[in-house]
Amino acid sequence: MNNPWLYETTLKGDLVTLAPLNREHADALLAAASDGELWNLWFTSVPSSNSIGAYLDQAFKDQSDGRALVFVVIDNATQKIIGSTRYCNADTLNQRVEIGYTWYAKSFQRTGINTECKYLLLTHAFETLDAIAVEFRTHWHNHASRAAIARLGAKQDGILRNHQKNAEGVYRDTVVFSIIDQEWPCVKKNMEYQISRYS
């Protein structure tokens, strides 16, 4: 990897393990995405049988360029892949990174999985990578994602109007949130409290 700041690693929690993505995970990712037919969610990017090749190609390109570090989410109880998440848009010089491209099989949503995943990623970012800020970005119309990000303790920085064009040529407004390093101890304490409620 060109960027020494991001390096392949495995992050393990009580509920889930985040392991580096590889091409052999394609079928398991499609099986997870089929739980709820998540590719039909027009405001997010989840692979289907038609797009899995391009999805993996882009993920590995971003990773080899040093802009991303891509994980599969593994349910510890069953050892099944139930989704994916990643660090992305990494800015090594300014020690900033985004957590994004996150999705989970429908049956694992609203279970505490997302909170633990974000806890693992944020802990690694702030306490190992010494990030000064971690961003989250989501579609204006993805209300569930916006609410979940706010529950983590992230603050809304603003809205990027007409930020990106999708495959159909429709522009999206992107809502930007962040947590900065000085806020992390308090956010961490709150997340640990939330996680304890699922134990």
Side-chain angles (χ1 to χ4, degrees):
M1 194 178 296
N2 297 331
N3 182 349
W5 192 48
L6 294 181
Y7 55 89
E8 283 198 352
T9 187
T10 297
L11 306 175
K12 187 172 176 60
D14 293 329
L15 300 176
V16 293
T17 298
L18 306 185
L21 173 74
N22 64 59
R23 289 196 181 272
E24 288 68 44
H25 292 140
D27 288 344
L29 284 172
L30 288 175
S34 70
D35 179 356
E37 297 184 348
L38 303 179
W39 51 78
N40 289 324
L41 297 173
W42 65 274
F43 47 71
T44 191
S45 175
V46 179
S48 67
S49 57
N50 294 327
S51 65
I52 186 68
Y55 178 89
L56 292 173
D57 288 345
Q58 189 63 56
F60 290 124
K61 181 182 186 306
D62 291 346
Q63 189 159 289
S64 68
D65 289 345
R67 295 196 306 268
L69 185 60
V70 189
F71 299 92
V72 289
V73 181
I74 300 169
D75 173 44
N76 288 343
T78 63
Q79 289 301 300
K80 285 174 55 177
I81 289 175
I82 59 170
S84 184
T85 190
R86 70 185 72 171
Y87 293 122
C88 53
N89 296 319
D91 179 350
T92 307
L93 179 64
N94 294 300
Q95 292 175 265
R96 297 179 63 94
V97 71
E98 179 185 340
I99 294 172
Y101 295 87
T102 302
W103 59 270
Y104 310 104
K106 188 173 183 179
S107 57
F108 288 90
Q109 295 173 15
R110 301 180 179 277
T111 62
I113 294 288
N114 182 57
T115 303
E116 186 173 86
C117 282
K118 294 299 192 294
Y119 178 81
L120 293 170
L121 290 165
L122 286 164
T123 299
H124 185 71
F126 285 118
E127 298 181 15
T128 301
L129 302 179
D130 292 323
I132 59 125
V134 176
E135 277 188 18
F136 302 87
R137 298 185 176 205
T138 191
H139 198 296
W140 168 262
H141 287 283
N142 194 343
H143 299 288
S145 177
R146 289 168 58 187
I149 293 168
R151 278 196 304 273
L152 295 175
K155 294 184 172 67
Q156 184 174 314
D157 295 322
I159 302 167
L160 303 176
R161 307 294 303 278
N162 276 359
H163 179 229
Q164 291 176 321
K165 190 190 296 185
N166 69 12
E168 298 169 345
V170 178
Y171 282 94
R172 81 175 222 174
D173 292 347
T174 298
V175 187
V176 183
F177 296 81
S178 68
I179 298 169
I180 59 175
D181 52 354
Q182 293 97 327
E183 295 168 342
W184 170 236
C186 186
V187 170
K188 181 180 182 180
K189 195 172 188 65
N190 180 56
M191 292 184 75
E192 288 174 343
Y193 170 72
Q194 291 180 44
I195 290 168
S196 72
R197 296 169 66 193
Y198 290 102
S199 301

